[in-house]
């Protein structure tokens, strides 16, 4: 496991020892894409960690206006790692964003929001650490093409594993293509990406990211999952960025392309990011107890907060129009807001792999990997804290297959939002729990809603869909 550096001096010593040529400075934009710029090592001194380096914030999505464009990146020493993909030896550091005039942390910096969420947990005295464990799924494709203009629109995906290629002339076609919904998880040669996924997992370990397992997922066409070991909230936000970066670049090395888009294939399972949460204090797991499924009263209240605020939460945990193509019945996606032990059709599940108090946690199954991890994890924690503070009763568990409930019983179970716009409207109506401790500011909430509505929900609504032609062209 890679050593974690704790001070600017240690990072500078590492640069000298490894003969690093370039320092790459990274941060996350508002919607959730990693950004970077590079400087020669001579530009990085101990003072740089305090004073920062300037860049144009007006060119970053959802950030500054043009007349307030100057921003600072301040590298965080403990995030340093040697990039495994660049030709010239490059040291990467994740940065915090600051205003150059006031010196204050930038309120729209997602990492800053995550840092404030961790601090708020400690300030209110509930716990000192929130552990997050996401299970991010993704697809490995061989080719993807898409375009839309005023008179045409299409996408085309291909995969050597795709069941749709069973009859294709491949000179020769060797078969062994996972059937729809049956990719979990035959051995090779049906599973064609074992070595690639192992390289992804080992590469992440080399960067200091603790891993748990890797495997094929349910869908055909190369769906995969590589699980990160749980970590504190901000650290997991950093790790999720490294995760996506490594997976995409290893796939590129193999001539493949990876997407974390939740539902790229119609009529097969989409990619979720089931997210595990537990809150600890003084080395004790506050979610362990002698109640339902070995949970504490604190954990039950946390579940109550998550279920109550779930429609608003999904604006951050499921933040794309495509997210709601996954959240439909019949594909293992949790569309009903209930909790249960073992039942994977519930929005909140209590994993039962172990009875150890240390392993007790809740699993929020709605999120998908298109999300901005810093924002999604922070919103999830804030909903849990609100449930604990206000002792929100989650009601009775639903220990049965939700999809097989009779209609009259199913009608009483609340549902997830059906569209991104519906989730954004829920956030607009229910966000006071996010404003506590100044974790999310009103500006962040307003900017998120307006950005997502204008650039995504409304933009999609304006465009004809290919299936509309099949349904309506001859009317």
């Amino acid at each position: 496991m890679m050593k974690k550096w704790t001070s600017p001096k240690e990072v500078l010593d590492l640069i000298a020892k490894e003969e690093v040529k370039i320092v790459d400075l990274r941060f996350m934009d508002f919607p959730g894409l990693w950004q970077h710029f590079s400087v020669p090592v001579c530009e990085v001194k101990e003072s740089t960690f305090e004073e920062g380096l300037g860049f144009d914030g007006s060119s970053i999505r959802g950030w500054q206006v043009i007349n307030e464009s100057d921003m600072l990146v301040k590298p965080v020493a403990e995030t340093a790692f040697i990039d495994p993909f660049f030709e010239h030896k490059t040291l990467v550091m994740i940065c915090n964003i600051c205003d150059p005039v006031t010196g204050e942390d930038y309120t729209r910096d997602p990492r800053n929001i995550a840092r404030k969420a961790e601090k708020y947990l400690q300030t209110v005295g509930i716990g000192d650490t929130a552990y997050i464990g996401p299970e991010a799924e993704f697809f490995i494709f061989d080719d993807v093409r898409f375009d839309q203009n005023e008179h045409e629109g299409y996408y085309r995906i291909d995969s050597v594993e795709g069941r749709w290629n069973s009859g294709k002339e491949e000179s020769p076609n060797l078969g062994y293509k996972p059937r729809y919904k049956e990719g979990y998880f035959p051995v090779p040669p049906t599973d064609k990406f074992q070595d690639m996924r192992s390289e992804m997992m080992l590469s992440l370990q080399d960067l200091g990211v603790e891993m748990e397992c890797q495997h094929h997922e349910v869908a055909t066409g190369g769906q995969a999952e590589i699980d990160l070991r749980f970590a504190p909230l901000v650290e997991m936000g950093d790790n999720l960025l490294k995760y996506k970066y490594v997976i995409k670049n290893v796939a590129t090395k193999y001539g493949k392309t990876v997407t974390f888009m939740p539902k790229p294939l119609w009529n097969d399972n989409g990619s979720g990011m089931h997210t595990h949460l537990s809150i600890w204090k003084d080395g004790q797991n506050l979610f362990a107890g002698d109640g339902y499924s070995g949970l504490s009263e604190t954990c039950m209240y946390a579940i109550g907060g998550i279920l109550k605020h779930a429609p608003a939460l999904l604006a951050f945990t499921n933040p794309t129009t495509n997210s709601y193509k996954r959240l439909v019945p019949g594909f293992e996606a949790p569309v009903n807001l209930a909790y249960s032990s073992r039942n994977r059709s519930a929005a909140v599940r209590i994993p039962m792999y172990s009875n150890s108090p240390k392993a007790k946690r809740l699993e929020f199954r709605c999120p998908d990997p298109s999300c901005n991890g810093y924002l999604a994890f922070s919103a999830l924690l804030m909903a849990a804290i609100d449930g604990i503070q206000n002792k929100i009763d989650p009601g009775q568990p639903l220990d049965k297959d939700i999809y097989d409930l009779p209609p009259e019983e199913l009608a009483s179970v609340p549902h997830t939002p059906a569209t991104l716009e519906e989730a954004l409207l829920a956030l607009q109506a229910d966000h006071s729990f996010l404003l506590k401790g100044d974790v999310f500011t009103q500006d962040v909430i307003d900017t998120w809603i307006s950005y997502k509505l204008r650039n995504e929900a409304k933009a999609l609504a304006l465009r004809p869909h290919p299936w509309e032609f099949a349904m309506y062209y001859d009317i």
Side-chain angles (χ1 to χ4, degrees), residues 242-257:
K242 296 175 187 176
Y243 178 90
K244 290 185 174 184
Y245 177 72
V246 166
I247 285 171
K248 289 178 180 178
N249 279 280
V250 170
T252 299
K253 189 175 79 170
Y254 280 80
K256 308 288 185 181
T257 178

Side-chain angles (χ1 to χ4, degrees), residues 336 398 400-413:
N336 298 287
L398 201 53
K400 58 183 77 173
D401 189 341
I402 294 173
Y403 298 132
D404 287 339
L405 287 180
E408 62 275 12
E409 192 173 349
L410 184 61
S412 66
V413 180

Side-chain angles (χ1 to χ4, degrees), residues 147-196:
D147 198 8
Q148 183 155 12
N149 53 45
E150 288 74 9
H151 73 100
E152 63 180 356
Y154 68 91
Y155 69 90
R156 181 175 176 81
I157 294 166
D158 207 2
S159 167
V160 68
E161 268 200 4
R163 187 67 176 178
W164 59 86
N165 280 326
S166 294
K168 183 180 179 181
E169 180 61 58
E170 292 182 339
S171 303
N173 188 325
L174 301 178
Y176 301 120
K177 301 181 191 299
R179 285 177 283 271
Y180 297 105
K181 299 189 183 184
E182 294 187 22
Y184 189 86
F185 26 45
V187 297
T190 301
D191 177 1
K192 295 177 173 52
F193 300 126
Q194 168 69 17
D195 288 339
M196 188 192 308

Side-chain angles (χ1 to χ4, degrees), residues 212-360:
E212 289 193 339
C213 70
Q214 61 92 346
H215 57 82
H216 203 288
E217 256 301 335
V218 173
T220 191
Q223 193 183 33
E225 179 180 316
I226 304 177
D227 289 345
L228 297 150
R229 182 171 174 77
F230 65 88
L233 192 152
V234 174
E235 182 180 344
M236 183 53 73
D238 294 343
N239 286 348
L240 186 60
L241 288 170
K242 296 175 187 176
Y243 178 90
K244 290 185 174 184
Y245 177 72
V246 166
I247 285 171
K248 289 178 180 178
N249 279 280
V250 170
T252 299
K253 189 175 79 170
Y254 280 80
K256 308 288 185 181
T257 178
V258 156
T259 184
F260 291 93
M261 186 176 173
K263 190 77 170 185
L265 299 181
W266 172 68
N267 214 27
D268 206 345
N269 282 34
S271 292
M273 190 178 76
H274 308 146
T275 301
H276 299 250
L277 169 68
S278 61
I279 297 175
W280 292 59
K281 186 173 185 179
D282 298 328
Q284 298 296 314
N285 183 1
L286 301 183
F287 281 9
D290 56 7
Y292 175 77
S293 294
L295 300 180
S296 67
E297 188 176 56
T298 297
C299 185
M300 298 305 291
Y301 290 146
I303 293 171
I306 290 167
L307 292 178
K308 175 185 177 180
H309 297 298
L313 271 182
L314 263 64
F316 289 111
T317 63
N318 302 73
T320 69
T321 58
N322 187 251
S323 297
Y324 299 86
K325 304 290 196 300
R326 166 183 167 257
L327 291 177
V328 294
F331 296 90
E332 296 190 11
V335 296
N336 298 287
L337 299 176
Y339 74 97
S340 174
S341 64
R342 306 184 68 178
N343 191 339
R344 294 172 186 267
S345 59
V348 175
R349 186 177 76 94
I350 313 306
M352 299 299 292
Y353 299 123
S354 171
N355 290 320
S356 168
K358 291 184 177 181
K360 288 301 172 183

